[in-house]
Amino acid sequence: MAAAKGTVIITGANGGLGSAIAKQLVFRPEFVNYHGIYLVRDANSAAGLNSALATTSSHPHDVFSMDLTDLDSVRKTAEGINLRISAGSIPQIKTLILNAGTWTKDGFDTTFSANYLGHWLLTMLLLESMDKESGRIVLVGSQAHE
């Protein structure tokens, strides 16, 4: 396999759309040489994502636990990713897909923390590792919480 062209990071990679995006990275030839970082609430129970990734052994990737409602978790995850990129163990970020979202039956605070604050902080902390020429940030929105 050729050297990775860049890193693609997806939040909410264990859900419907997140798993579908991960599956595209695995199957589409134009993405085969990208390193995937899949961020999920609990990496130990990421059945949807693991199913999408199980179809290949050649896709370089990592699956990390990160709770977007816990800003310390976001900081630690971003720090770890930035350190790996600055050390050269993974390539610069080409695409940051902010897909994760959560909703609760009773509250607005969890939704606001995960969907807005967590993604904003993650983006700000990872900007130093973005490809300055062609990096992209994709924010996925939904009205599903309504």
Side-chain angles (χ1 to χ4, degrees):
M1 179 194 287
K5 293 180 179 181
T7 297
V8 176
I9 298 175
I10 304 171
T11 65
N14 192 41
L17 184 56
S19 295
I21 294 169
K23 193 174 274 192
Q24 291 299 307
L25 288 175
V26 169
F27 284 117
R28 297 193 52 152
E30 63 267 33
F31 300 126
V32 74
N33 290 324
Y34 285 86
H35 184 88
I37 294 182
Y38 304 107
L39 302 175
V40 298
R41 254 177 284 183
D42 183 359
N44 294 319
S45 63
L49 176 61
N50 290 334
S51 174
L53 296 174
T55 57
T56 182
S57 61
S58 62
H59 173 61
H61 67 278
D62 296 293
V63 178
F64 296 127
S65 296
M66 182 184 74
D67 182 353
L68 281 165
T69 66
D70 178 350
L71 298 182
D72 284 336
S73 174
V74 174
R75 286 183 187 96
K76 288 176 187 171
T77 302
E79 180 182 18
I81 292 169
N82 286 332
L83 286 172
R84 291 183 67 201
I85 291 171
S86 67
S89 61
I90 59 174
Q92 281 188 314
I93 300 166
K94 287 286 192 176
T95 307
L96 176 58
I97 302 174
L98 306 172
N99 168 67
T102 185
W103 56 92
T104 64
K105 186 170 119 178
D106 300 317
F108 175 72
D109 292 334
T110 301
T111 301
F112 182 71
S113 293
N115 296 4
Y116 300 100
L117 295 178
H119 276 150
W120 174 82
L121 181 60
L122 181 66
T123 300
M124 299 310 297
L125 294 172
L126 291 177
L127 282 177
E128 70 184 65
S129 296
M130 289 288 295
D131 181 313
K132 306 298 186 254
E133 299 296 318
S134 62
R136 298 178 187 273
I137 298 169
V138 179
L139 179 59
V140 178
S142 170
Q143 290 296 319
H145 64 280
E146 297 287 349

